[in-house]
Amino acid sequence: TPLSAASRAANPAGAGGPVGALFAEVYGGAGDADVFRREKDRLLQAVGAAVKKNRQKVNSFRRQIAEAEAHEDVKTRADEIMAYQHGYRQGASALTVYDFETGEAKEIPIDALKGPVAAAEALYKKARKQRRTAGAVEPLLEAASREAEYLEQVEFSLRELSSGRGGKDDVLALEEINAELVDARLVKPAGKGAAAEIKRRERSSGGKGKRGGTPPKPKKKGGRDDPMINIRRYVAPSGKEVLVGRNSRGNEAVSLSIGKDQDVWFHVRGAPGAHVILRQQPGQEASDEDLQYAADLAAFHSKLRTGGKVNVSFTSPKFVRKPSGGRLGMVTIDKEKVMLGMPDASEAAAEEASDRAAGKKTASSW
């Protein structure tokens, strides 16, 4: 049974309404559902632009590495010139060499004014430069690939939020994503005081457009400090608690703060999705029924929710860690098992079907 975190959270409105302080500052007296949708669309647009820009970087780095990986072929061509330079005729524009592997004869162009040795030295220099380029770009590609995973996860978290009719939970989760994206410098602060906040951030980063400096910490607002605001709660068939992250902050709390060694951690394989834990007391073993219940939730709260049957990784939280320099909510796992999760069989799917039958907007409606 899903349990609401809003009943435990302090009133975050600050401005006198369930839309929360951020929305009240930005949109004033607009209707709650309209405010939620407009703010969600604004953030989706910003994340989409970041995804596109990052994809271009990834493609560029991959092209550079592919070109640089030809350094072995370039070096081999230089070696062939040096091996057969004795056969070069002064003033000729080519040198006949024999392939080291096949023995097949082939012609290599030579600058008649410089000769074969100079040609070989130029090729050696080119090969060294290509090798250095590959070594320099590979870390950049790895970082850009991690950023792509992070952006896809944030985009998924935004799309999974409903129209705001989920109450304070969804509103606060959206506000948390906004704060996260501001801290990540993917969106600019909005609402009252935004201009002053932008200038302050520019000063702290050493000037307009620069990325250095220490990002400011998010301001504390009412119930936003309660980690459960960013987490969905369910109860497994045995009565054990199942926690599901709503966004990056919720995922990080579930995986790295709340989860203990005796718990079971779940995440859909190969796609963005919520981090899920089945909570247990030390010494307890999870039943197959509880494992399936949690795996189904992990499958439903993922980008593969329409997949019918989905591979879900599960492990102990002790094998889940945050990579060095990783973004909020990003983790790696050192050991895992895999089981099938069925999104449509999850309790969350049943709840969404009930909401849809009642005419409520759901995450898939947006």
Side-chain angles (χ1 to χ4, degrees), residues 192-204:
K192 296 178 182 177
E197 175 68 5
I198 292 171
K199 289 181 180 179
R200 187 182 71 77
R201 287 173 180 273
E202 288 176 353
R203 287 196 300 271
S204 70

Side-chain angles (χ1 to χ4, degrees), residues 67-79 127 130-131:
E67 292 170 0
E69 285 177 346
H71 71 87
E72 287 292 347
D73 292 337
V74 174
K75 181 180 178 298
T76 297
R77 201 155 66 245
D79 290 340
Q130 288 177 324
R131 186 169 61 249

Side-chain angles (χ1 to χ4, degrees), residues 36-214:
F36 188 96
R37 183 175 61 253
R38 287 157 65 183
E39 184 66 4
K40 177 180 172 181
D41 288 346
R42 180 180 75 89
L43 298 181
L44 278 171
Q45 185 176 13
V47 173
V51 167
K52 181 178 180 181
K53 183 177 180 180
N54 191 72
R55 185 180 298 120
Q56 292 172 342
K57 289 172 61 176
V58 168
N59 291 337
S60 175
F61 292 148
R62 284 175 175 165
R63 282 196 300 271
Q64 291 180 58
I65 289 177
E67 292 170 0
E69 285 177 346
H71 71 87
E72 287 292 347
D73 292 337
V74 174
K75 181 180 178 298
T76 297
R77 201 155 66 245
D79 290 340
E80 290 170 342
I81 292 175
M82 293 301 294
Y84 295 101
Q85 62 168 309
H86 62 275
Y88 178 73
R89 296 194 311 275
Q90 192 69 27
S93 60
L95 171 66
T96 300
V97 302
Y98 297 88
D99 189 282
F100 287 160
E101 293 185 1
T102 65
E104 182 181 351
K106 56 185 179 181
E107 299 286 311
I108 294 182
I110 300 293
D111 187 333
L113 297 178
K114 295 181 179 180
V117 174
E121 289 176 348
L123 289 172
Y124 283 133
K125 183 177 180 180
K126 180 179 180 180
R128 288 193 297 270
K129 182 178 179 181
Q130 288 177 324
R131 186 169 61 249
R132 289 195 301 270
T133 297
V137 174
E138 282 171 359
L140 299 178
L141 175 59
E142 183 179 350
S145 298
R146 288 198 303 266
E147 183 74 353
E149 292 179 14
Y150 167 74
L151 292 171
E152 289 175 3
Q153 179 64 46
V154 174
E155 185 177 43
F156 163 75
S157 296
L158 282 168
R159 293 192 182 281
E160 198 187 32
L161 293 177
S162 69
S163 63
R165 296 184 183 183
K168 295 176 185 175
D169 290 357
D170 278 355
V171 171
L172 288 172
L174 187 59
E175 287 196 353
E176 191 63 61
I177 294 174
N178 176 80
E180 174 189 345
L181 294 177
V182 169
D183 289 341
R185 289 172 169 77
L186 294 173
V187 300
K188 292 183 178 181
K192 296 178 182 177
E197 175 68 5
I198 292 171
K199 289 181 180 179
R200 187 182 71 77
R201 287 173 180 273
E202 288 176 353
R203 287 196 300 271
S204 70
S205 64
K208 186 173 182 179
K210 294 185 179 179
R211 299 294 187 185
T214 302

Side-chain angles (χ1 to χ4, degrees), residues 239-253:
K240 294 176 182 177
E241 186 177 50
V242 179
L243 302 182
V244 180
R246 287 179 175 271
N247 51 31
S248 298
R249 194 167 298 279
N251 286 337
E252 183 143 321

Side-chain angles (χ1 to χ4, degrees), residues 130-347:
Q130 288 177 324
R131 186 169 61 249
R132 289 195 301 270
T133 297
V137 174
E138 282 171 359
L140 299 178
L141 175 59
E142 183 179 350
S145 298
R146 288 198 303 266
E147 183 74 353
E149 292 179 14
Y150 167 74
L151 292 171
E152 289 175 3
Q153 179 64 46
V154 174
E155 185 177 43
F156 163 75
S157 296
L158 282 168
R159 293 192 182 281
E160 198 187 32
L161 293 177
S162 69
S163 63
R165 296 184 183 183
K168 295 176 185 175
D169 290 357
D170 278 355
V171 171
L172 288 172
L174 187 59
E175 287 196 353
E176 191 63 61
I177 294 174
N178 176 80
E180 174 189 345
L181 294 177
V182 169
D183 289 341
R185 289 172 169 77
L186 294 173
V187 300
K188 292 183 178 181
K192 296 178 182 177
E197 175 68 5
I198 292 171
K199 289 181 180 179
R200 187 182 71 77
R201 287 173 180 273
E202 288 176 353
R203 287 196 300 271
S204 70
S205 64
K208 186 173 182 179
K210 294 185 179 179
R211 299 294 187 185
T214 302
K217 294 180 180 179
K219 294 180 180 179
K220 296 181 179 180
K221 285 187 179 181
R224 274 180 55 185
D225 292 330
D226 181 353
M228 294 307 296
I229 289 169
N230 303 303
I231 296 171
R232 296 179 175 90
R233 293 183 58 212
Y234 296 87
V235 177
S238 68
K240 294 176 182 177
E241 186 177 50
V242 179
L243 302 182
V244 180
R246 287 179 175 271
N247 51 31
S248 298
R249 194 167 298 279
N251 286 337
E252 183 143 321
V254 164
S255 297
L256 304 177
S257 300
I258 299 174
K260 306 302 179 186
D261 289 359
Q262 68 270 11
D263 299 333
V264 187
W265 181 93
F266 300 81
H267 191 281
V268 68
R269 295 198 85 202
H275 299 198
V276 177
I277 54 170
L278 170 66
R279 304 189 75 186
Q280 303 187 116
Q281 295 299 316
Q284 286 186 324
E285 292 289 336
S287 67
D288 289 345
E289 188 177 18
D290 281 358
L291 290 174
Q292 189 64 61
Y293 178 90
D296 291 346
L297 284 173
F300 178 86
H301 290 293
S302 80
K303 198 171 182 179
L304 302 181
R305 60 185 296 178
T306 59
K309 292 183 179 180
V310 177
N311 284 329
V312 175
S313 298
F314 67 104
T315 189
S316 165
K318 68 183 177 182
F319 298 118
V320 180
R321 60 183 176 84
K322 188 178 184 70
S324 177
R327 291 277 203 181
L328 185 67
M330 301 306 292
V331 301
T332 59
I333 53 178
D334 298 325
K335 183 179 180 181
E336 65 174 322
K337 294 181 179 179
V338 179
M339 63 183 295
L340 286 178
M342 293 173 283
D344 294 340
S346 69
E347 186 160 350

